[in-house]
């Protein structure tokens, strides 16, 4: 008869949010540049979550009607970067908010 010990499977360590964000290249490299009030208070908005930061930045402009210059300043990006992120989101949806993979794009 086998003991209960032999049937147990090893417990996998739980990854932290930071580890998961890093693995999916969604860890914001400069979270300190996000000056938007929602990301400075509470726990829901996380300035380390690059996808959330970019999505909220686009939402502030599209839904709330805030000017691009004000939104870009609050989220620590240039106007050019805002428009590039916006175009990627329109083209690819939420996956467009992830940074591009490093390395050559063509052979």
């Amino acid at each position: 008869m086998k003991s209960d010990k032999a049937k147990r499977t090893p417990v996998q360590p739980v990854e932290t949010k930071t580890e998961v964000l890093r693995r999916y290249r969604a860890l914001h490299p400069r979270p300190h540049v996000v000056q938007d009030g929602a990301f400075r208070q509470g726990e829901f908005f996380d300035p380390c979550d690059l996808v959330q930061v970019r999505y909220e930045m686009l939402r502030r402009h599209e839904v709330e009607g805030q000017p691009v210059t004000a939104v870009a300043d609050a989220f620590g990006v240039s106007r050019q970067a805002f428009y590039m992120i916006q175009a990627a989101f329109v083209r690819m949806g939420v996956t467009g908010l992830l940074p591009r993979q490093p390395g050559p794009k063509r052979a």
Side-chain angles (χ1 to χ4, degrees):
M1 197 160 133
K2 292 184 179 180
S3 70
D4 285 339
K5 229 180 196 181
K7 293 179 185 178
R8 292 183 193 161
T9 57
V11 176
Q12 297 295 324
V14 176
E15 286 183 293
T16 65
K17 181 177 180 180
T18 301
E19 291 168 336
V20 173
L21 290 172
R22 185 175 286 118
R23 183 163 35 104
Y24 288 103
R25 300 178 349 270
L27 183 63
H28 198 307
R30 299 176 307 129
H32 61 278
V33 301
V34 180
Q35 297 302 314
D36 182 75
F39 285 87
R40 293 288 157 214
Q41 60 190 3
E43 294 181 17
F44 180 77
F45 291 104
D46 182 0
C48 293
D49 186 339
L50 185 59
V51 174
Q52 185 182 43
V53 168
R54 288 178 172 184
Y55 183 85
E56 186 61 18
M57 177 181 70
L58 295 176
R59 193 192 70 74
R60 293 286 167 86
H61 173 67
E62 294 292 327
V63 176
E64 295 181 11
Q66 293 184 16
V68 171
T69 305
V71 171
D73 286 345
F75 286 86
V77 299
S78 66
R79 285 181 304 108
Q80 294 83 357
F82 174 90
Y83 288 118
M84 289 175 61
I85 293 165
Q86 184 182 45
F89 181 71
V90 167
R91 193 172 58 253
M92 298 183 291
V94 175
T95 58
L97 300 179
L98 286 167
R100 292 190 209 171
Q101 290 224 334
K105 306 299 179 234
R106 298 177 189 219

